[in-house]
Amino acid sequence: MLNRERLIQKADKYYNLAIEAYEGQRYAIAQGYLNQCLEINPEDDEVWMLLASCLEKDGELIKATLAFKKAYEIKPDDPTYNYNYGLGLIWTGRLTEGIKYLKK
């Protein structure tokens, strides 16, 4: 089994590859790398945010909202996460609830 340091290095490598794929508008490839990151560390809020952005770009608004929610749950005091989760709620028809998060 890989030790913790090697796992972190591996997750960092996948994250960098995901950013590269995202910037190249290869969202499905980026999602694959991000899922690998989440297998190593399922509590990485930045990975959840980038995954949500990939899903949103692919038109998967419900899945994107769930990923935004996970990032928000990990770091509820981050105003960007509040905003993105609120926006996701609006996308999925939950306007009143979404507005509450946008105002935070």
Side-chain angles (χ1 to χ4, degrees):
M1 183 168 166
L2 294 173
N3 65 31
R4 181 167 169 68
E5 185 177 310
R6 286 193 57 208
L7 284 173
I8 291 169
Q9 290 174 346
K10 194 172 187 179
D12 287 345
K13 179 182 174 187
Y14 287 141
Y15 187 72
N16 290 333
L17 290 169
I19 289 172
E20 186 179 307
Y22 180 84
E23 289 172 350
Q25 298 180 351
R26 297 183 325 262
Y27 305 117
I29 292 169
Q31 288 173 47
Y33 289 127
L34 294 167
N35 286 325
Q36 292 293 326
C37 291
L38 291 172
E39 284 184 24
I40 295 168
N41 180 9
E43 297 300 312
D44 190 324
D45 56 300
E46 292 179 18
V47 172
W48 282 107
M49 284 298 291
L50 186 54
L51 179 60
S53 294
C54 289
L55 291 163
E56 185 264 327
K57 295 283 188 186
D58 275 345
E60 298 282 345
L61 299 182
I62 292 172
K63 290 179 182 178
T65 301
L66 293 173
F68 282 136
K69 180 181 180 183
K70 183 64 179 174
Y72 165 78
E73 289 172 344
I74 294 168
K75 223 174 180 181
D77 294 330
D78 188 310
T80 302
Y81 295 1
N82 284 314
Y83 177 83
N84 286 329
Y85 179 46
L87 190 59
L89 290 169
I90 290 170
W91 291 337
T92 58
R94 295 163 58 189
L95 183 63
T96 305
E97 188 178 356
I99 290 171
K100 290 178 189 176
Y101 284 94
L102 291 176
K103 290 181 178 180
K104 287 186 179 183

